[in-house]
Amino acid sequence: MSDRQLALAIGTFDGVHLGHQEVIAAARSAVGGRGHVMAVTFWPHPMTVFDPSGAPPLLQNLESREDALLDAGADEILLLHFTTQMAAMTPAAFVNQIIAPLHPSAVAVGPNFTFGARGAGNPGALRQLAGGRFDVATAPAVEFGGYTVSSTMIRAVVLAGDVSSASRLMGRDFSVRGPVVRGDRRGHQLGFPTANLTPDPAVACPSDGVYAGWLALLDQPGERMSAAISVGDNPTFGSFRRVEAHVLDQDFDIYGVPVEIGFTKRLRDMVTYSSVDELVAQLTKDVRATRALA
């Protein structure tokens, strides 16, 4: 890589939303098509170090973040383990010990990027501390509805079940990942077999309800299969909270297989039905609505 210019795109990048994608684009612009873009990100999320009990749920797990960064245009990823020692570094130490040894020709950050102890560093300070060793590009803020797109904004709409807005803010559908777990097979008995995930408590999950979306097999990259998705504890029968995806026109055994379930539109709230026939009639409507959106 010594014969190519290197640009760093630095950030936590939770959700890799439209604003984050601008940072990747700024890094790419700084070195052109023949340069190399390295996304530098932190794990765990800094808030889990500063305030473990008050840290919000993430928008994606680490694997999903890394995939999204590569999809956004990064050539590789450098994962920095965020610790109390790193949190205590001065802005100058962060630049001299973390950034400078990578010998970048440019560093791209977001407009609200902070670094160093107590967040003392900002894009202006980064430019000063660079001392001519590398250029600094500050990506423009991305606005939606008069507000700057942020992970906090996206987290709020996801938790409210507004997955359509989340898709617009992220530039792709909000999704969750995990291995398919064995359920009670009630969906199969009703004619609507499902692939079930247990929500990761560290990752945001849409509020209880029924959604149109898709499922993809992570060990077999390929097409996304349309799915009607239920999030909740199935009030008609009573069970633990889970994400259940009924893949249209498919009935396969994928227990233990890692999958990604994406959400495109909220269809309705969760409802307790007085009979199985009422539930089946509603599930039929949900499938029809999902098919119409596919």
Side-chain angles (χ1 to χ4, degrees):
M1 198 162 63
S2 60
D3 60 339
R4 290 182 292 177
Q5 287 189 312
L6 169 67
L8 307 180
I10 305 179
T12 301
F13 297 127
D14 182 29
V16 194
H17 55 62
L18 293 177
H20 297 148
Q21 292 166 37
E22 284 291 334
V23 177
I24 300 294
R28 174 61 63 196
S29 179
V31 294
R34 299 185 66 181
H36 195 82
V37 173
M38 176 186 291
V40 181
T41 189
F42 306 94
W43 191 267
H45 192 287
M47 281 301 297
T48 65
V49 175
F50 296 134
D51 182 16
S53 62
L58 299 175
L59 291 173
Q60 54 194 171
N61 63 20
L62 180 58
E63 177 189 51
S64 180
R65 182 193 300 179
E66 292 179 334
D67 286 348
L69 286 169
L70 294 173
D71 288 342
D75 296 305
E76 68 172 309
I77 296 162
L78 174 63
L79 185 65
L80 298 179
H81 185 59
F82 196 85
T83 62
T84 54
Q85 290 78 15
M86 180 175 288
M89 295 177 77
T90 65
F94 183 84
V95 169
N96 293 328
Q97 297 177 33
I98 303 296
I99 297 178
L102 296 171
H103 303 292
S105 59
V107 174
V109 296
N112 298 317
F113 175 72
T114 61
F115 64 102
R118 302 179 185 275
N122 57 27
L126 180 60
R127 193 168 286 108
Q128 280 189 321
L129 291 168
R133 291 174 290 179
F134 52 84
D135 295 330
V136 175
T138 303
V142 177
E143 293 194 352
F144 180 84
Y147 296 92
T148 300
V149 174
S150 67
S151 300
T152 299
M153 175 190 287
I154 298 169
R155 188 176 299 110
V157 298
V158 166
L159 294 177
D162 185 3
V163 295
S164 298
S165 289
S167 295
R168 289 191 289 270
L169 295 168
M170 297 178 72
R172 65 184 186 285
D173 294 332
F174 176 80
S175 63
V176 295
R177 293 185 176 191
V180 174
V181 299
R182 190 171 296 277
D184 49 29
R185 294 187 62 81
R186 188 171 285 113
H188 194 277
Q189 295 166 8
L190 297 176
F192 298 89
T194 59
N196 304 325
L197 298 188
T198 301
D200 182 345
V203 178
C205 184
S207 60
D208 291 4
V210 176
Y211 301 82
W214 48 266
L215 179 145
L217 304 177
L218 292 175
D219 63 348
Q220 300 176 31
E223 67 174 317
R224 295 174 172 179
M225 298 170 281
S226 295
I229 306 160
S230 170
V231 179
D233 58 6
N234 198 329
T236 299
F237 297 104
S239 61
F240 59 90
R241 192 167 193 264
R242 56 194 173 190
V243 178
E244 301 179 81
H246 169 65
V247 180
L248 273 55
D249 307 317
Q250 293 283 350
D251 183 5
F252 42 28
D253 183 351
I254 52 174
Y255 293 123
V257 173
V259 300
E260 181 173 13
I261 296 176
F263 300 81
T264 57
K265 184 177 181 180
R266 185 180 178 92
L267 298 179
R268 62 177 176 87
D269 294 338
M270 293 292 279
V271 177
T272 302
Y273 294 96
S274 59
S275 71
V276 171
D277 288 343
E278 286 185 10
L279 173 60
V280 169
Q282 182 59 60
L283 293 176
T284 301
K285 292 179 182 178
D286 296 336
V287 168
R288 187 180 303 126
T290 300
R291 196 181 300 279
L293 293 167

